[in-house]
Amino acid sequence: PSPSPGGSKCIPDQHGPACSSDSDCAAYDSCIRCASSGFCTCVDTSTGQCAAAASSTAKPATITNATAVDHRRGLGGAPFMNCGSTPLCGVLVLESGYGPPDYHHDVPCVHGIWPQIGSYGSSQCIAPSDSSDPTSMASCYDDLGFMTHEWEKHGTCAGVKDSNDFFNQVCSLSAQPLSVMQPLKAQGQSLADMASALKNGGYPVYYVDDVDSQIYISVCASNDGQWKIADISQFSTVC
């Protein structure tokens, strides 16, 4: 279904009213939190279901690795990520292509690597050697303005050398999981099918964002800024 931003209530698979915090959603029917998209949602992160429809509509839970995750919640509803002794940890965010307009694509694509700092997790924010904005397109992107946004918001805390180093790693790490998702999208398979295929392929799916139709894969890096795909239980071993 098509999203209907700015409505007066929250219903499954559609954006609710615009918001900047959970408190903004309290006055709206069926809305329980402010999602990372900036819109209220009825999806309960503990069940992966719309709270209003939970009694009648069964959906698989969207949070994985729950036993290893801190009980706090990051902004947008994803579990608070505990890096343990690893200096840098975060998520590789992959878009299924089924999301609302800014996330709607013919084929799945990469959104970026997001170090889980502050309210999102215990990762350190390690500045790059060169913080200059990107000036050329990386192979897995088609919008330099969006790359600049990703760099300024996430890449400058990723412990990398510069923007080229950051986006080269984003493209390299995302290539194989996207190769799993892309044929499934072509076949009309769902977001849940993509997440299951990734898990069956050994990828550590950390969270599934039902609102923007994205899949988060856990990643980590040591002080050298070289990011690696790893389950959170293996952060200290891999990174």
Side-chain angles (χ1 to χ4, degrees):
S2 299
S4 301
S8 59
K9 63 180 180 179
C10 291
I11 59 177
D13 301 318
Q14 293 190 5
H15 283 320
C19 60
S20 58
S21 67
D22 290 348
S23 60
D24 295 336
C25 303
Y28 296 104
D29 185 29
S30 300
C31 301
I32 62 172
R33 64 182 178 86
C34 185
S36 56
S37 58
F39 295 98
C40 297
T41 179
C42 61
V43 176
D44 185 335
T45 55
S46 66
T47 64
Q49 302 180 51
C50 182
S55 61
S56 60
T57 303
K59 292 176 63 180
T62 57
I63 299 171
T64 61
N65 301 325
T67 56
V69 176
D70 193 295
H71 289 292
R72 289 170 287 179
R73 297 287 174 189
L75 298 178
F80 182 95
M81 180 175 278
N82 192 332
C83 301
S85 61
T86 302
L88 293 162
C89 68
V91 288
L92 173 67
V93 182
L94 307 173
E95 300 182 18
S96 71
Y98 288 127
D102 288 343
Y103 300 84
H104 194 82
H105 315 288
D106 291 336
V107 295
C109 62
V110 65
H111 193 139
I113 290 175
W114 300 352
Q116 297 293 276
I117 62 173
S119 297
Y120 296 87
S122 64
S123 179
Q124 297 178 31
C125 176
I126 301 179
S129 302
D130 179 357
S131 61
S132 301
D133 287 343
T135 57
S136 60
M137 203 81 69
S139 62
C140 58
Y141 287 90
D142 60 6
D143 185 334
L144 187 58
F146 182 70
M147 285 178 57
T148 300
H149 162 79
E150 287 297 297
W151 170 245
E152 292 179 349
K153 186 172 182 179
H154 304 291
T156 52
C157 274
V160 295
K161 296 177 182 178
D162 53 25
S163 63
N164 286 334
D165 181 21
F166 179 68
F167 288 111
N168 284 339
Q169 292 193 56
V170 170
C171 294
S172 177
L173 284 180
S174 64
Q176 289 190 345
L178 285 175
S179 73
V180 173
M181 297 170 63
Q182 287 164 352
L184 296 177
K185 175 69 160 54
Q187 297 164 18
Q189 300 296 309
S190 68
L191 175 68
D193 292 328
M194 293 180 187
S196 294
L198 287 170
K199 285 186 277 189
N200 290 339
Y203 292 98
V205 174
Y206 180 69
Y207 183 71
V208 178
D209 172 8
D210 289 321
V211 175
D212 292 326
S213 200
Q214 302 183 114
I215 298 172
Y216 296 10
I217 292 176
S218 55
V219 291
C220 62
S222 59
N223 288 313
D224 62 5
Q226 294 301 303
W227 288 83
K228 300 172 183 177
I229 292 175
D231 186 271
I232 56 175
S233 65
Q234 298 297 317
F235 279 172
S236 61
T237 302
V238 174
C239 298

